[in-house]
Structures are given as structure tokens and as C-alpha cells.
Amino acid sequence: MSWIQPFEAEFGPDGSLYVIDFGEGSGSGRGGSNEGAGIYRIDYVANSRPPAAKLTVDNDSGPAPLTVAFSSAGSSGPDGTAITYAWDFDGNGTVDSTAANPSHTYSTPGRYTARLTVTATNGQTAVAVQEITAGNTRPTVTLSVPDGAFFDFGDRIPYTVTVTDPEESSIDCAKVVVQTQLGHDSHAHPLDNYVGCTGVAVTESNGGDGHGPGQNLYTLLSAQYTDGGAPGAPELVGSTRAELQTKSKEAEHFDGQSGIQVLDRATASAGKRIGDIDHGDWINFGPVNLRNIDSVTFGVASGSSGGDIEIRADSPTGPILGRATIGGTGGWDNVVSPTVELTDPGRTTTLYLVFVNPNQTGGTPDLMALDWLRFNGAGVREQSAATVSASATPTSGTAPLAVAFTGTASPAPGRTITDHAWDFGDNSAVVHGASASHTYARKGTYTARLTVTDSLGATLSSTVVVTVS
């Protein structure tokens, strides 16, 4: 293997070698980067593949005496061969049970390392470990910002952290730490730390330095609390995390899909869109929470018959939260941008977009191509006295339709408006200025959006719908 800046190597209790590579740069967070950083696990494999050991518990902390139910579910031998189990509940090297799913009571306060060793018929072993703390209960941490809520980069996110701990009569808010992280694909970059039970977290104003347009970005908000321990038992850390979704999303940044293809197209936003869409295909996004989100705008085109986009919760057959009807737009590059109202299920869910046209036959081409979507509403941003309004003259007419757009904006006290940006909803170039003009060359429903940015990087948007016949 080749390394960039390896600086720590340890053999773990499972027998594997763990190596931390610092990566390039000088550090994560403000003022640095760690491109290529990682933690690597290196396993020794000889003669035959080893078994897999999995260990779960019903609880890992609590007052003594503490009874813990252990499970080996997920453990397996290579190619389905049999395995045997050896449990050491207190880490003293003695086998305490050979059952698959035993239980054990810890009578004396303290921290223990429970170890499961599974042995396959080929003689190879695998180990899984779990720390158990008796005499102290891990604090429960909750965050007022719901998992899956929506934001725009530059938003300020107010939060409240609530901590409960049965061993502590009062919670010391000075020990509560909230951190923002910039999520990118499947990893995240630590940003700012805030101390206290309440506060306002600031998101990146430009989506994060070094990330170009069309990147799959999001924000993570984590909160943790370290308690003071208990007699005979060490301190414990409780934590929670919320993933915040950006209101503007590229369709190709879905979390799951069935039947569709991601297509490279020069005319698409960020150069990609989803296509090869047939009746019953779907994509999903999650987690999603529609708090203070009232509608969604689709950037979509159809060179054929079109169909409906059903917005559903939980599954492709779950409750319908909204429906957009997409007709033929005369070509696969002819993007329209209809807006449909959404029903908030009042909880965090996985959001499914199901593409429907029961009249599609085997010879019918793809129903549509989805380029992007935009969720409309305040989301979880800090409410302020700032206002913005977009208007259009005319709002309807026949193609080609020349439209004059006017925006008015008032910033929050102590700030100034630094930018007006018009997106006309047809994949044309963004135009900057309080007023703008645009000609729609073809029929369709378009949602034009004015986004204003203030001197602190916060943004606020307003939309106006233009119908071209």
C-alpha cells in the first residue's frame, strides 16, 4: 500500500491493524484540508477466508446491577459453514458462555469490554467487541432541528439542545458542544464548534470552498454532551446528529432508484440528468423533513408523452404528498419548471418520486427526463425581518413571450443586499440585477426565482410562475 501522511497504527481488539493517514494539507476545519485522509483496517487472511463476527446489545449502559442481552445476529462462517461462539463478558480472558444469544448481569459498577469470538470449521476465528458501562447511564441528547430539514447555504440555523441524564440532577450547558460539518457525497468536513444548549449555527455561504457547481453537498449538525460519571463508573458521552438537505438538488443526487439511468448531457444543469424513465420507475431522497416547506419545483423535459411525478412518503406506494403532471415539451432539452404544493407528513421520512403513465406501451419512448428540483419555503433558517418579492409582466401569453422581471428586497437590520440573481426556470443563464428581462421561446409552465444575498451571505428567495401557451 502507498500512504500520504500515516501517523498512527494500532492493533485493535479484533486482531486487525488500524492505520490513520492524515492525508494532504494541514488539517480539517477552518483554514486547511485533509484530502486523501482516512482510517484503514488491514486484516490478515491465510489459507481460507475467516468467519464474520457481529455483536449487538440491547443497552450498553445503565445503573448497576445491569443486565445486558447480547446478540450474535449477522455472524457467519465462510460459504455458510457452521460457527461456534465464545463470549467473554468482562474481558478477563475466560469464556463465560457459548450460547448464540446470551445475557449477562454486571453487578459491580465499572467499564467492561465484552468480547465475542466466533470460530469456523476451518479453524479461523473472528472477534467483535462492545464496551459496557455499569453504574452510569449514557446521557440522551436531542436536537430541536429535525433530521432531514431543508436549508440554503448561508442560512443561520437556530437550535436548542436538550439533555437528560438520570445520574445528574442538573445539566451543565457549558459541556454541550454543537458542531457544523459540510457534507460532500459520503464524507463530511468539520467546520465550527458552538458551546451551550442554545445558539445559532452558521452554514457555509458559498457551499464550501473547493466544491464546484453541481456537487452533492449538505450540512450535518451534531450535538454531544459528556456527563460527570458516577461512583465507580466512568463518564459517558451522549450524542445526536441531524442531516440537513439543500433546497436545490440535482436529480442525479438521489439516494436510491429503480429503473432510471443517469445521463451525461451538455445542456443539463451540472451536465447530468436522469432519464430512461418508464412507468413505475422511481428515485428517492432521505432523510427528508418538510418542516416549513410548502412546494417543490421540477426542472423536467419530455420528448414524448410525459406523465405524472408522484411525491410519496416512506415507499413507492406510500402516502401521496403531491403530484405534478408533465406533458410533452417538444424535446428532451426543452426544460419546463412547474411547481406543485406539498403536504407535510409532520415527520422525517424518505421521499420518493414515482414516475407514472399507465398508458405507456412497450413501443413508447421514455416518459420524461428530470434535471433538478427545488424545495420552496423557509425550512429551518432563522426568521428575520428580511423580505423579498418577485414579479413578472406579463405572467402569461403566447410564445415567444418577452417578460420583464422586477424584484424588491429589504435586508435584515444592519445588513445590505449584495446580489440579486434571477433563475428563469428553463436552464438559461442566471442574470444578476434587481430587474431582468427574458424571452420564453416555447410553451410551458415556468417558475422564475429571484434569490437575494445579504452582506452576511444569507439568502432569501421568491418565485413567480409564468405560463406560456
Side-chain angles (χ1 to χ4, degrees):
M1 298 180 68
S2 60
W3 306 94
I4 303 171
Q5 293 189 71
F7 71 94
E8 181 77 8
E10 296 279 354
F11 280 100
D14 56 357
S16 298
L17 178 66
Y18 292 84
V19 180
I20 304 177
D21 192 327
F22 195 77
E24 300 173 349
S26 58
S28 63
R30 300 296 181 182
S33 67
N34 279 104
E35 189 68 27
I39 301 177
Y40 300 87
R41 189 187 80 189
I42 303 172
D43 297 324
Y44 174 69
V45 179
N47 301 323
S48 177
R49 290 182 293 111
K54 303 291 184 182
L55 188 167
T56 57
V57 295
D58 61 345
N59 59 80
D60 67 356
S61 67
L66 175 67
T67 299
V68 178
F70 292 88
S71 172
S72 63
S75 301
S76 61
D79 302 317
T81 56
I83 54 176
T84 59
Y85 308 92
W87 295 86
D88 178 3
F89 297 125
D90 50 16
N92 65 358
T94 301
V95 175
D96 299 311
S97 175
T98 57
N101 303 300
S103 63
H104 180 72
T105 298
Y106 295 89
S107 301
T108 304
R111 177 171 289 167
Y112 303 88
T113 299
R115 180 190 303 261
L116 167 64
T117 302
V118 297
T119 304
T121 54
N122 61 12
Q124 295 205 59
T125 62
V127 176
V129 296
Q130 172 70 52
E131 279 196 345
I132 305 294
T133 300
N136 187 23
T137 306
R138 189 178 304 279
T140 300
V141 180
T142 58
L143 192 59
S144 61
V145 180
D147 194 27
F150 282 89
F151 80 107
D152 275 320
F153 284 109
D155 282 353
R156 298 165 62 87
I157 312 295
Y159 65 84
T160 299
V161 178
T162 303
V163 180
T164 58
D165 190 311
E167 283 83 24
E168 298 188 358
S169 58
S170 63
I171 299 301
D172 183 0
C173 286
K175 296 163 66 176
V176 172
V177 179
V178 173
Q179 184 184 77
T180 55
Q181 301 173 36
L182 175 65
H184 179 208
D185 293 331
S186 59
H187 67 278
H189 307 277
L191 297 177
D192 296 320
N193 288 339
Y194 304 86
V195 176
C197 291
T198 60
V200 178
V202 180
T203 62
E204 294 288 89
S205 60
N206 60 354
D209 294 336
H211 295 94
Q215 297 292 305
N216 184 20
L217 303 178
Y218 50 95
T219 286
L220 296 174
L221 197 64
S222 66
Q224 73 172 38
Y225 176 79
T226 304
D227 68 17
E235 63 185 24
L236 289 171
V237 177
S239 64
T240 189
R241 189 181 75 169
E243 178 181 331
L244 306 185
Q245 302 282 0
T246 56
K247 294 178 189 173
S248 294
K249 301 187 79 67
E250 294 292 325
E252 64 269 17
H253 293 160
F254 54 78
D255 293 302
Q257 62 90 14
S258 175
I260 63 92
Q261 296 289 329
V262 176
L263 308 175
D264 293 316
R265 295 293 185 266
T267 57
S269 171
K272 295 180 184 293
R273 65 190 184 207
I274 66 167
D276 193 20
I277 297 173
D278 296 314
H279 173 65
D281 291 349
W282 53 262
I283 61 174
N284 67 22
F285 300 91
V288 165
N289 189 294
L290 295 177
R291 178 184 293 183
N292 297 328
I293 295 294
D294 51 40
S295 63
V296 62
T297 301
F298 294 109
V300 61
S302 176
S304 64
S305 59
D308 288 352
I309 303 177
E310 296 178 346
I311 304 102
R312 293 179 176 266
D314 305 327
S315 75
T317 58
I320 292 183
L321 308 180
R323 184 193 305 268
T325 298
I326 311 300
T329 65
W332 294 108
D333 294 325
N334 295 347
V335 171
V336 296
S337 50
T339 296
V340 295
E341 293 185 354
L342 291 175
T343 300
D344 181 4
R347 55 185 171 84
T348 296
T349 183
T350 300
L351 200 68
Y352 283 78
L353 307 185
V354 185
F355 305 98
V356 178
N357 186 339
N359 296 320
Q360 184 187 28
T361 62
T364 303
D366 306 340
L367 297 181
M368 64 189 77
L370 182 61
D371 196 349
W372 49 266
L373 52 160
R374 166 78 187 192
F375 292 88
N376 307 305
V380 290
R381 70 164 182 254
E382 181 182 49
Q383 300 300 305
S384 70
T387 61
V388 61
S389 177
S391 61
T393 305
T395 56
S396 63
T398 57
L401 181 65
V403 181
F405 293 94
T406 303
T408 58
S410 174
R415 308 184 198 178
T416 58
I417 300 298
T418 59
D419 184 48
H420 299 73
W422 290 92
D423 180 341
F424 302 114
D426 59 355
N427 277 20
S428 58
V430 171
V431 173
H432 297 271
S435 300
S437 60
H438 184 68
T439 298
Y440 292 96
R442 60 184 186 273
K443 69 176 183 178
T445 299
Y446 303 90
T447 302
R449 173 175 289 100
L450 168 64
T451 301
V452 297
T453 305
D454 70 19
S455 50
L456 290 185
T459 61
L460 199 62
S461 299
S462 179
T463 61
V464 58
V465 175
V466 177
T467 303
V468 183
S469 60

